[in-house]
Amino acid sequence: MTEIKTLIFPLVLAIGISFGSFLTMLIPRIYEKESGIFLGRSHCRFCKKTLRARDLIPIASYLINRGKCAFCKEKISTLYPTIEISTAIMFALIYTKFPFENISGIPLTAFYLTISFALIFTFFYDIKYLEISDIILLPAIALGLIKSFVTDSPSFESALIGGLIGISFFLIQILLSKGKWVGAGDIRIGALMGILLGWQMTLTALVISYVIGSIVSIGLLAAKQKEIGGKIALGPFLVSGTFITLFFGENIINWYLNLFL
Ligand SMILES: [Zn+2]
């Protein structure tokens, strides 16, 4: 890493932890459609007491309070520190993949950090509520479209075709299964996936998502965590497939093509 990257890296990690912490508050608030999503002090979801500054330090507060509310001692889900740590790691990875060394490079890094935020939100929201929320996803799709206008990777045409592939892939399944296999929300993730990756990489991402989905579903069935026919959220697999393709898409395609040479 060059010097400037080494200096910025810890800052990106810190921003990742803060945004992860913001997500732990945002996800339940959006679900419960509370007023003042972006304002207002955080409070305990059980005893409704307003949390003090020392209860709001990401990860550290969870460890110090031993995973319980400081007031009512009600257990806090391990999902919260998981969200904080995952966001920090994803932001660090995004910065490693799309770093900037001067001011003109900042918008591209910021773009990928913003999209990651939307994807991480979707990942955990779907795990927690088995639902896709449009509030963060639709602006991310719009942002992706704007970005494909101004940069070449992917080109605007490729992004548009990718988006259409993502949309039709899920729309066909919804029509065939009358909405039993996938939900309408998955169409939105498909659109974002396609616009972000371009059409070739979208096909790769869909295959990876379904491979991961099959492995995890079989694992859950074997561990008797889910019953056959029980609902498993598709969103987390689509988000994982999108991230993996964003980072390793080229390598995976080359590896696959080499199998036949
Ligand atoms: Zn409490």
Side-chain angles (χ1 to χ4, degrees), residues 44 46-47 69 71-72:
C44 169
F46 304 103
C47 62
C69 167
F71 300 103
C72 66

Side-chain angles (χ1 to χ4, degrees), residues 23 27 55 108 112 160-161 217:
L23 273 180
I27 289 171
D55 302 318
L108 193 69
Y112 280 108
L160 216 54
I161 297 169
S217 304

